[in-house]
Amino acid sequence: IGQEAMVRTLTNAFATGRIAHAFMLTGVRGVGKTTTARLLARALNNETETIDRPSLTLTAHGRHDAAIMAGQHMDVMEMDAASHTGVNDIRDILESVRYAPVEARYKVYVLDEVHMLSTQAFNALLKTLEEPPPHAKFIFATTEIRKVPVTVLSRCQRFDLKRVPHDVLVEWFGKIAVQEKVEISPEALALLARAADGSVRDGLSMLDQAIAHGGGVVDAAQVRDMLGLADRSRVIDLFEQVMKGDMPAVVTSLGEMHDSGADPVVILQDLLELTHWVTRLKVAPEAAAGSADSERKQGLAMAEKLSMASLTKGAWLYVGMITDTLGLLMGTFRFQAR
């Protein structure tokens, strides 16, 4: 979902037979690294009545598919590098890699969170990655690509999985809601997609919670209540009050939002996001095209009224307030721990 560049590259590679011996998948949590690794393992060992070669034409009836997706295939080894960090764990892989696969076409080794491996473990992998047996393939997944040695990266074909765009998440969550026979408003879907911050897994967890919270009917008010979000219109009103310098009104509005359950840090993040949006409208008014009519009118009016200097100062103000709030919270936690 939302990884068209990687899909196109892999499709062409499998079609032409130029398949790498090692893949490095990197990206933030919940964008599909482990799922992609299992799909690659299926594609490498794709075997049906009509297909007997590495192919991305995956069906539900492949000989090895069910066992691979369940993590139970004897020729596809999945290892969590976060809990198997030592060189001895890698030695087990290097011992088994010499032997041919039992059932499948390739032995596939999937190492999740590979950046957690020790330096000695990485060094033990190097020679095998440089001269792998023809029947072995390696697939690595990590959220911290900078912690992986360049000597390992240079021996892998790297794919950077990006955050899934907001509109793609809205469409995907909407399809799931239809399949689950759940009524959910477009505004609620937009709130969930925005809170997911590009992570499909985070968004699905929140969608599942929202369905349980709403009892099969989900609206925007329920999602805001569940996530501790402030109403969008109230955030816009608060933004206007801050920009006018009306401090009594700001304090009153913040208090009302806090009393209704909104998280202060989330309110500040919403203000920062709103400042970014208004700044974009000032530079490119057509950026308001995808917004609701009332929001678009308010946003364009604020963009016309406010100077770029005021918006920049506002952004730095919110960043500073978020930092100060988080610092205060951390200090409180440390004090309580003592």
Side-chain angles (χ1 to χ4, degrees):
I1 305 167
Q3 311 295 342
E4 289 78 10
M6 181 187 69
V7 171
R8 183 170 59 252
T9 303
L10 288 173
T11 301
N12 294 336
F14 274 76
T16 57
R18 302 177 66 86
I19 304 171
H21 65 275
F23 301 91
M24 180 70 69
L25 307 175
T26 178
V28 298
R29 76 271 176 266
V31 291
K33 299 183 294 297
T34 305
T35 302
T36 300
R38 288 182 177 175
L39 290 172
L40 277 173
R42 280 179 62 187
L44 289 165
N45 292 314
N46 198 358
E47 186 179 341
T48 66
E49 293 180 357
T50 57
I51 300 172
D52 192 15
R53 60 181 175 81
S55 170
L56 284 173
T57 308
L58 301 175
T59 67
H61 311 293
R63 179 184 168 193
H64 308 289
D65 290 357
I68 290 174
M69 292 307 287
Q72 298 172 347
H73 199 288
M74 63 178 65
D75 291 323
V76 178
M77 177 181 172
E78 287 191 37
M79 189 178 87
D80 178 20
S83 54
H84 299 82
T85 61
V87 68
N88 290 330
D89 299 306
I90 296 300
R91 284 200 185 109
D92 292 340
I93 293 177
L94 301 184
E95 283 293 323
S96 67
V97 79
R98 296 182 296 170
Y99 302 103
V102 178
E103 291 184 338
R105 185 180 300 110
Y106 291 106
K107 272 193 169 182
V108 183
Y109 296 89
V110 179
L111 273 70
D112 207 359
E113 300 299 339
V114 71
H115 66 276
M116 300 290 285
L117 290 179
S118 65
T119 303
Q120 292 83 0
F122 274 125
N123 290 337
L125 265 177
L126 288 179
K127 191 63 176 175
T128 303
L129 283 179
E130 190 168 12
E131 298 175 0
H135 59 261
K137 301 288 184 184
F138 292 87
I139 307 173
F140 305 120
T142 178
T143 53
E144 300 282 349
I145 192 67
R146 294 180 182 178
K147 294 183 180 179
V148 179
V150 291
T151 49
V152 173
L153 287 176
S154 65
R155 291 166 169 82
C156 302
Q157 193 171 89
R158 173 176 167 177
F159 293 98
D160 290 80
L161 281 72
K162 63 182 182 179
R163 293 179 185 271
V164 180
H166 180 272
D167 55 339
V168 176
L169 284 177
V170 169
E171 182 182 356
W172 183 248
F173 295 159
K175 288 179 180 177
I176 291 174
V178 171
Q179 291 174 3
E180 295 289 335
K181 298 180 175 59
V182 173
E183 293 181 30
I184 184 166
S185 69
E187 190 180 356
L189 285 173
L191 287 172
L192 288 168
R194 185 155 61 96
D197 194 24
S199 170
V200 181
R201 185 172 64 232
D202 288 3
L204 288 176
S205 298
M206 288 184 283
L207 176 61
D208 198 28
Q209 184 180 352
I211 291 171
H213 184 79
V217 179
V218 183
D219 59 27
Q222 292 170 337
V223 173
R224 287 194 194 95
D225 185 41
M226 181 189 79
L227 299 178
L229 299 176
D231 186 273
R232 179 75 170 180
S233 61
R234 295 177 72 179
V235 172
I236 293 175
D237 292 340
L238 178 62
F239 176 82
E240 289 184 320
Q241 291 163 0
V242 171
M243 288 304 178
K244 289 177 183 175
D246 188 354
M247 287 304 105
V250 169
V251 172
T252 302
S253 297
L254 270 174
E256 290 173 353
M257 289 182 186
H258 183 266
D259 291 342
S260 64
D263 187 335
V265 175
V266 174
I267 295 173
L268 292 173
Q269 289 173 335
D270 286 346
L271 286 170
L272 188 58
E273 186 268 333
L274 184 59
T275 306
H276 172 63
W277 181 61
V278 174
T279 305
R280 285 178 60 201
L281 295 187
K282 191 165 188 68
V283 178
E286 61 273 13
S291 306
D293 290 340
S294 58
E295 280 189 26
R296 182 167 61 249
K297 290 177 182 176
Q298 279 185 288
L300 290 171
M302 288 188 292
E304 186 177 350
K305 190 187 307 179
L306 297 168
S307 66
M308 189 63 76
S310 298
L311 291 168
T312 305
K313 288 177 184 176
W316 280 111
L317 170 68
Y318 303 136
V319 169
M321 292 173 72
I322 291 171
T323 306
D324 291 345
T325 304
L326 292 175
L328 182 60
L329 289 172
M330 289 301 295
T332 304
F333 292 147
R334 290 195 189 100
F335 179 78
Q336 290 176 343
R338 289 175 185 172

